[in-house]
Amino acid sequence: MSSKSADIPNSAPLLRAMTESAKAGQLPEGLTADELKQMYEGMILIRAYDERQKKLQRSGRIGFCVTSTGEEATQVGIGHALADQDWIFGYYRQYGMMLYKGAPVTELADHLFGNRDDYAKGRQMPAHYTNRRVNFVSSSSVIGTHLIHAAGAAMAAKYKKDNAVITTFIGDGGTSANDFHSCMTFAGVYKPPLVIFIVNNQYAISQPVSKQCGAETLHLKGAGYGVPAVRVDGNDVIAVYNASRDAFARARAGEGPTLIELYTYRVGPHSSSDDPTRYRGNESDQWLTEDRDPIARTRHYLKSLELWDEAYEAKIWEDAQNKVNEGTSDSAQKPEPDWNSLFEDVYAELPPALARQRDELIEQESEFPRQQEGEFPL
Ligand SMILES: Cc1ncc(C[n+]2csc(CCOP(=O)(O)OP(=O)(O)O)c2C)c(N)n1
């Protein structure tokens, strides 16, 4: 790591690794050179996916997207510490964890296009992903409701003794939602294997964290519920990994939940429908700098270990861009979900009123067949 460290404008203690326990030129304890490179490449894939999402949305191929530029370390550091049997109850900004856990790009893009292979069959709000392959549970648009589901799933894991850890995520804004209180109360009392991550990216759309909570930090909330809590530099992938690994080990050992505040910054807009310059000017320019950008910080660290050179950088960017271009192009070619699927998955036997509606649609479909949009050259 360069001798300069990120100048994080906040006085509260923050766990960091890349300038402290993990010294420049020395491998951090418990991580190999290959693992560090894997994490670096994982963050680059997420950034390449974000670049592609933005282009697809701006060119009208998809309607809506959410990016996580600047927050990649929060997803990769945690993803690296997860075991296969663990579960992720995220919200719309954690899709990078699916990529890091091995979900192919096209499975994420199928959802953005709402095509026939979309796990949600085109019924969810876009950017509300789900993926069985990597135990990523579908979230609701209503902020915080998934925290309750996560607490329940963690309780089930405790009863079943299946050695699974349940992770759940909430933004700084989301900590004001009632369900945060319910989840934390339950976690503190029953002590299931639950790790609650607060992704403090400093804004809830236009609302800064200072207008969200009067306490100096969000991790202080843990004490009120009897849940051990730490506050971590969310742009330091090794610190995020260390904190997650320790919390997961505690959970697996039956020692109960942990609350982890990840201090980071949402560099992009809240979503493709937001213009952040209207409420924070050009402030975000200060967060993709060499000292703060989680990718640049890891690159400096790899360099200090002689694990990085220009050729490696060019190759992994090219690989990442090929992966996202191929994956999203595949998804763009697929047809829409069959409208008949609207009637599936809720009732084992269709109630008469719905059966009538389906029959009416069948009749209309034969009279006025719908056009498929055809292929989109991307
Ligand atoms: C209960 C509820 N209130 C408001 C909204 C509208 N809303 C959607 S996202 C969002 C901001 C969430 O911010 P935060 O929790 O900090 O997460 P971030 O998007 O910054 O990652 C709001 C207010 C909602 N979806 N649900």
Side-chain angles (χ1 to χ4, degrees), residues 337-356:
D338 190 329
W339 59 260
N340 246 315
S341 69
L342 269 178
F343 298 94
E344 294 167 0
D345 303 326
V346 178
Y347 297 102
E349 238 174 81
L350 217 53
L354 280 180
R356 265 198 310 280

Side-chain angles (χ1 to χ4, degrees), residues 66-67 71 91-94 128 140-145 170-175 177 199-207 212 266 270:
V66 168
T67 53
E71 301 177 38
Y91 62 103
Y92 41 79
R93 228 177 281 286
Q94 278 79 47
H128 288 59
S140 143
S141 286
V142 184
I143 297 288
T145 54
I170 189 76
D172 39 285
T175 59
V199 185
N200 177 3
N201 62 15
Q202 305 186 44
Y203 285 90
I205 315 184
S206 57
Q207 191 83 338
Q212 199 68 242
R266 193 197 78 218
H270 169 73

Side-chain angles (χ1 to χ4, degrees), residues 58-208:
R58 285 295 180 243
S59 59
R61 270 110 168 180
I62 59 172
F64 178 81
C65 72
V66 168
T67 53
S68 62
T69 305
E71 301 177 38
E72 295 88 349
T74 63
Q75 305 177 60
V76 165
I78 299 163
H80 198 76
L82 283 173
D84 288 347
Q85 73 273 21
D86 298 340
W87 289 81
I88 304 164
F89 286 71
Y91 62 103
Y92 41 79
R93 228 177 281 286
Q94 278 79 47
Y95 52 87
M97 295 184 73
M98 290 187 282
L99 292 174
Y100 193 69
K101 295 301 289 171
V105 169
T106 190
E107 288 189 3
L108 277 73
D110 285 343
H111 169 65
L112 292 180
F113 283 94
N115 68 27
R116 194 162 291 184
D117 286 349
D118 172 18
Y119 281 120
K121 301 188 181 176
R123 300 171 188 170
Q124 240 303 15
M125 177 164 170
H128 288 59
Y129 300 86
T130 176
N131 194 299
R132 279 174 195 268
R133 187 196 293 272
V134 294
N135 290 353
F136 191 100
V137 180
S138 183
S139 61
S140 143
S141 286
V142 184
I143 297 288
T145 54
H146 62 288
L147 295 173
I148 309 293
H149 308 156
M155 208 58 204
K158 185 174 172 152
Y159 279 124
K160 284 161 70 185
K161 297 189 175 35
D162 59 7
N163 205 28
V165 171
I166 311 302
T167 61
T168 191
F169 295 79
I170 189 76
D172 39 285
T175 59
S176 302
N178 297 342
D179 291 337
F180 178 78
H181 170 67
S182 308
C183 171
M184 291 297 292
T185 301
F186 195 91
V189 171
Y190 294 104
K191 310 214 179 309
L194 178 67
V195 181
I196 306 117
F197 291 94
I198 300 175
V199 185
N200 177 3
N201 62 15
Q202 305 186 44
Y203 285 90
I205 315 184
S206 57
Q207 191 83 338

